[in-house]
Structure formats: C-alpha cells, structure tokens
Amino acid sequence: MIAALIQKAVARFRGDETGGVLIIFGAALPALLMGAGVVIDYGILSEQRTAFQAAADASALAAAREFRLANANPTTVQSVAEKFAATSLKAVNHSGTIAASVDLKKMTVTVEINTIAKTNIMHLFGSEMVAVGARATARVLGSAAICVIGLEQNKNETIYLEKDAKLEAPECAVYSNSKKAEGLKAKQNSSIRARFICSAGGSYKDKYDSFSPSPTLDCPVLTDPLASRAPPPTGGCSATDLKVTTSMTLSPGTYCGGIRISKMVVVNLNPGIYVFKDGPLDVSGGASLKGANVGIYLNGKGAVIRFDTDTKIDLTAPKDGVLAGILFYEDRNSPINQKHEVLSNDAKVLLGTLYLPQGELNIGATKPVAAESAYTIVVARRFTLSAGPTMVLNAKYASTNIPVPDGVGPGSTAAHLAR
C-alpha cells in the first residue's frame, strides 16, 4: 500500500514540468522512503513482540502453577517455563533467547524472551538490527485449594456476612473479585476462617467480627474458572409448572416453569441432569429432597433454588458427564443478580460445586450447611450469609468419587501475572 502511494506520487511529479518541483521531490524522496520503511518494519517488529509477550505470559503462568506440587523446586519450575515458552514460540513460527528465573521466597516465576531482529527496509538507511524483547512475571497467592470465588468486580459486598454468620473453610481459600473498598465485608459478629483470604479491593469488619487469617488485599482478579465449561443440552418440556404434593421419584428432564415441592412429601431424584427452565426448584412445607449424582441446570428468568427453613436437603453432584462435579449450574445468559436461597436447617449434604455466575447465593439457615459433604465449592457472582448461618466448606477431595472441576479445588493454586 505504501509502495503504491509512493509510485503514484512519483508519477504525479514526473508529469509536472516545473524543475523546482522535481528538485524538491528528489530531495524529499529519501525521507519518504525512510518513513515508509519505519512504518513497515514497525508493524513487523510489533507483531513479533506481541508474540513474545503472549509466550512469556503463558509460560510464566504455567510454571507458577507448578508451585502447587509437593516436589516443586527452582530447577523443575524453571524447566517448565522455558519448555513452555519454546513450544509457544514454535507454534507461531518465532524464535528467541529464553531465560526463566524462580524466586521461591516470593513464589514468582519470571520469563524473558529476547532476540536481535534484522529490519526489512530500515537496514537500507543504516538501522540493520533492532532488539525485540518481552518479560513477564507470574506469582502465586496462597497455596491452598480454592473453594470460594465471588465473581462481582464492581460492587461492594461481593462476599458479605451479617448477624452471627460464619464461613468455615479451614483447608481452602476464599477470594473476592470486588475492587471496591468493602468488597469483602463482615458485620454484626460474623467471621470467616479459611486457609487463605484474598480481596481484589478492600475488606471491612467492625470490632466484633473476625477474619482468620487477615485478608490479603489488592489481589489480582481471578477469571471465572468454569467459564469454558459448556452447559448441558436441553430438550422439550418433561413437565410444566410442576407442583409436587405427594411423595415420588422424579427422573432427569426439562422442567419448564420449575418444580415446587411442599406438604411434607419426600422426593427422590434419579441420577442425571435436571433442567429448570424459567422457573425455580422450590422446596418448602417440611418437604425432603434427595438425589445422588444429580446435576441441576438453572436456565432463564426465575430459574433459582430455594430451600425453605423446615426442609431436608441431601444432594450430590454427578460423577461423570457434562456436569461432572457440578451440583448447580446457572446459565450465563440468565438475568443478573437473581437470588438463590439455602434457608434449610437440615442441608448437611451439598456435595459438589455450586456454580452461579450470574446470581447471588444466600445462606440463611440457623444450623450448619454442607457440614457432612466431602467437599463444597462456591463460584457465584455474590455470596452472602445472613441471620446466623454457618456454611462449612470441607476440602476432603480424596474421600469421594465425585470429581472436582478443573480450576477449583485441589490444584487450583492461583497464579497471576504481576508484571
């Protein structure tokens, strides 16, 4: 394109018989060519540097995740970084000198990629070689498995406790993505106890509340670890606006308008996936809901869970299939900030991952929730505890055959770019 423009300019000036114009153009031509060369070479070198930066970022993150392994040492972590970077560069037809360094005390990995590139046009004007390089540092925050992520970044109280509420996660990590000053908040004699507590913004508690340990603040925001997890398929309506008032066993299917269970009945769910389309899973009136290896897919307006105070809930996630390890899966296109409520005082087993990326999970029971689950993981837009509940997030991953989704639980040590 640039060459074509220059050719047009030359043709135009050749047609001009004014000698002065030709003299001026002749004097300006080297500068024009140099300018064109700068533009062309800059584009090529910029693309190369972008490729270097992408490789440095990815390799630093990959190597930093090696810190979660018990046998991690500087040599093995460095080797992972350099091999990953070399593979990444080869995939995009680039090459360069790769150097990685590891700081075990700071839990960081730094990767540098450099080369001396030959210019395509600028060498005609004396600038034959140009240095191109990129650098990335990744660090690990905490060494515990992640069992809570509050995804909301732009509002206060992404994780919020009040009125004697307790979040017990002694073997795993709690993260709030909120960048606000009170993104992580506890008041009225509430507490969080975890292996590690992290907030992308600030935290707030009054003199009667406690965080143990004290939160690490200004943490990097965690990406949704399940963002690439595909939703289950949906079919035609198995039932519409179903109201259950007699004890029965239900089978997997699509329940349009939801299911409402009440009047002291006992409902058993056969293994499989239950789709709630534009309606709730509502259990009230002393009813019981039990299901082993079930996945509950919440899709659309009003597709929420609500377990009332006097109900009994006992649910475990699938062992395999599209929702393996996921007990509740909220569709990412559902309305924002719909509230999912666990008020049941007999919800000892909620085994699996509660994935509610658009909604708020509110725990409002007065007795411990999920205390008898091998593990429970919460990934929600907001996570709130009110009216004196205790939410127990066990991390006994090896004691169950229900898998933990990639990105959370064991092996989810959070590595972040810190360059």
Side-chain angles (χ1 to χ4, degrees):
M1 180 179 176
I2 293 173
L5 291 173
I6 293 174
Q7 288 176 353
K8 288 181 181 179
V10 170
R12 187 169 65 251
F13 281 120
R14 279 176 177 169
D16 193 320
E17 296 179 354
T18 304
V21 173
L22 290 173
I23 293 171
I24 293 171
F25 178 71
L29 184 59
L32 289 172
L33 292 173
M34 179 177 286
V38 169
V39 172
I40 293 171
D41 280 334
Y42 177 81
I44 294 171
L45 296 172
S46 179
E47 186 275 332
Q48 187 171 15
R49 187 190 180 284
T50 298
F52 279 14
Q53 190 65 62
D57 290 349
S59 55
L61 285 168
R65 294 189 185 104
E66 293 295 304
F67 284 128
R68 71 178 184 264
L69 302 177
N71 62 347
N73 61 68
T75 301
T76 58
V77 174
Q78 179 181 345
S79 177
V80 168
E82 293 174 350
K83 289 179 180 178
F84 195 104
T87 301
S88 298
L89 290 178
K90 185 177 180 180
V92 292
N93 297 316
H94 284 290
S95 63
T97 302
I98 301 166
S101 59
V102 178
D103 188 327
L104 283 179
K105 183 177 291 186
K106 294 181 179 179
M107 298 287 277
T108 62
V109 180
T110 299
V111 177
E112 294 187 64
I113 304 175
N114 294 286
T115 194
I116 301 298
K118 185 175 181 178
T119 61
N120 291 276
I121 296 177
M122 288 301 297
H123 70 276
L124 299 173
F125 303 96
S127 299
E128 185 170 1
M129 310 300 286
V130 177
V132 179
R135 183 177 188 272
T137 297
R139 64 182 177 127
V140 170
L141 292 174
S143 57
I146 298 172
C147 58
V148 174
I149 303 176
L151 295 172
E152 173 62 64
Q153 298 182 32
N154 300 313
K155 295 181 180 179
N156 284 312
E157 301 176 359
T158 288
I159 297 177
Y160 174 66
L161 293 82
E162 66 176 3
K163 299 178 183 176
D164 301 310
K166 293 179 174 59
L167 179 58
E168 294 288 322
E171 299 302 321
C172 54
V174 174
Y175 277 76
S176 167
N177 271 353
S178 173
K179 301 174 185 177
K180 298 296 185 179
E182 296 183 5
L184 174 65
K185 185 174 182 178
K187 69 176 188 178
Q188 297 171 307
N189 198 37
S190 297
S191 65
I192 298 177
R193 184 168 67 99
R195 176 70 67 85
F196 182 69
I197 304 172
C198 206
S199 173
S203 67
Y204 169 87
K205 65 181 182 64
D206 64 30
K207 62 181 180 180
Y208 301 109
D209 306 303
S210 66
F211 295 133
S212 179
S214 295
T216 298
L217 304 181
D218 299 318
C219 293
V221 170
L222 294 182
T223 57
D224 179 351
L226 301 176
S228 62
R229 191 73 174 259
T234 60
C237 298
S238 305
T240 300
D241 295 327
L242 182 62
K243 294 178 175 60
V244 179
T245 56
T246 58
S247 296
M248 64 173 61
T249 297
L250 295 174
S251 295
T254 298
Y255 292 86
C256 298
I259 299 177
R260 293 164 178 83
I261 304 168
S262 62
K263 295 188 177 180
M264 303 290 291
V265 303
V266 176
V267 173
N268 290 290
L269 302 180
N270 283 326
I273 295 175
Y274 293 77
V275 179
F276 291 82
K277 185 170 179 57
D278 298 324
L281 171 56
D282 188 312
V283 186
S284 63
S288 297
L289 179 66
K290 300 179 181 180
N293 306 132
V294 299
I296 294 170
Y297 176 38
L298 304 160
N299 185 340
K301 185 176 181 180
V304 298
I305 57 169
R306 189 178 190 279
F307 302 147
D308 213 349
T309 304
D310 56 355
T311 60
K312 178 179 176 62
I313 309 297
D314 190 317
L315 299 171
T316 68
K319 293 185 293 184
D320 49 31
V322 67
L323 289 188
I326 299 180
L327 181 58
F328 304 139
Y329 182 119
E330 181 183 49
D331 190 86
R332 300 183 192 94
N333 294 315
S334 292
I336 292 176
N337 295 325
Q338 294 191 123
K339 183 179 284 191
H340 307 270
E341 295 182 287
V342 178
L343 312 177
S344 172
N345 287 322
D346 193 354
K348 300 182 182 71
V349 177
L350 293 173
L351 200 172
T353 301
L354 316 184
Y355 180 50
L356 306 166
Q358 293 289 83
E360 173 188 342
L361 175 62
N362 175 252
I363 307 298
T366 57
K367 293 188 178 178
V369 173
E372 295 181 9
S373 306
Y375 78 84
T376 305
I377 294 168
V378 175
V379 180
R381 190 178 191 89
R382 292 188 68 222
F383 184 30
T384 62
L385 292 83
S386 59
T390 297
M391 181 73 174
V392 180
L393 300 178
N394 291 319
K396 301 172 185 176
Y397 308 113
S399 68
T400 179
N401 61 359
I402 295 174
V404 181
D406 290 340
V408 290
S412 60
T413 300
H416 307 277
L417 290 174
R419 70 174 189 274

